[in-house]
Amino acid sequence: MFLKHYLNCSDKKLIERFNTDWPFQFFCQKVLGADQYIKDMNLPSRIRSYISEHANLNQLQAMLLTHWKGDVENTNALFVDATCYESYIRFPTDIKPLWEANQWVYEKLLFKLCALTNTKRPRNKYIDQKRKQLTYYRLKRKSYKKDKVRKRSLLHLLNKGLSTYSIVTRISC
């Protein structure tokens, strides 16, 4: 529902974008397989109707009133908007999930495994790529060419990290 209002598109367009854009799938935490796609174009409409049927607005209003009792002057009138504001939500791009996947593979898996098994860290370009990523984040204008180069280097680093991790786990076992 957030992406539908953020992109200002219809239910059909939202499902089409969800089927084709994997950043949307990561954003919704539902990644479809290569041969999978959503056929039901009425899914967002059915989700909206499900929320409207199962949401107890009277209970919500009572809870909000008790929580904000000192801040609300007129307790006999309370308006509820259906808009959702979450500050930690960011628009999905290809580079963000790729960088987060690299961080997870190297920092959470590979480096911790090497520390646990007292083995030397394998040589890699992770620290150089970390510097490049910080430089990329600081750019005000990110061109298509820079995006393409960044995606390619992050994918290469991720493939190297995963293959190195599999080798290290075989050696340590």
Side-chain angles (χ1 to χ4, degrees):
M1 295 293 99
F2 176 80
L3 286 175
K4 178 178 172 41
H5 293 289
Y6 184 80
L7 298 171
N8 196 19
C9 63
S10 66
D11 291 351
K12 184 177 179 181
K13 282 281 189 198
L14 181 70
I15 295 297
E16 288 173 2
R17 293 269 317 255
F18 188 86
N19 285 333
T20 56
D21 292 353
W22 63 270
F24 274 49
Q25 296 172 13
F26 276 120
F27 181 82
C28 297
Q29 297 177 354
K30 178 64 179 157
V31 180
L32 300 175
D35 58 341
Q36 293 177 325
Y37 58 94
I38 298 174
K39 297 176 187 175
D40 186 11
M41 295 296 172
N42 294 327
L43 183 65
S45 174
R46 289 191 297 127
I47 290 172
R48 271 193 308 276
S49 64
Y50 177 82
I51 291 172
S52 68
E53 288 174 12
H54 292 86
N56 188 348
L57 294 180
N58 293 330
Q59 184 181 5
L60 174 68
Q61 286 178 349
M63 188 185 314
L64 290 175
L65 186 59
T66 57
H67 184 71
W68 291 327
K69 200 167 203 168
D71 298 328
V72 177
E73 293 176 12
N74 301 326
T75 56
N76 60 345
L78 184 64
F79 298 101
V80 177
D81 190 3
T83 311
C84 175
Y85 297 100
E86 296 189 33
S87 60
Y88 63 89
I89 294 178
R90 60 199 173 138
F91 187 73
T93 62
D94 296 342
I95 294 169
K96 289 176 188 176
L98 279 174
W99 175 244
E100 288 168 359
N102 276 300
Q103 279 183 312
W104 187 76
V105 165
Y106 282 95
E107 293 177 6
K108 301 281 184 193
L109 293 179
L110 192 60
F111 296 163
K112 283 190 178 182
L113 181 66
C114 290
L116 288 173
T117 58
N118 291 328
T119 56
K120 187 179 176 185
R121 281 187 184 180
R123 290 174 47 194
N124 56 44
K125 302 280 186 187
Y126 177 72
I127 298 197
D128 294 337
Q129 289 298 329
K130 193 172 186 177
R131 284 188 201 115
K132 288 181 182 178
Q133 186 68 21
L134 289 173
T135 305
Y136 176 80
Y137 279 148
R138 289 186 190 122
L139 292 176
K140 288 186 179 181
R141 297 181 112 187
K142 297 173 177 94
S143 66
Y144 174 75
K145 186 177 179 181
K146 289 180 184 178
D147 282 352
K148 190 175 175 181
V149 168
R150 193 77 206 117
K151 282 185 238 178
R152 189 180 311 127
S153 61
L154 287 174
L155 278 171
H156 181 70
L157 183 68
L158 186 61
N159 287 335
K160 289 281 193 179
L162 291 173
S163 62
T164 306
Y165 177 74
S166 65
I167 292 169
V168 170
T169 52
R170 276 188 259 147
I171 292 171
S172 64
C173 293

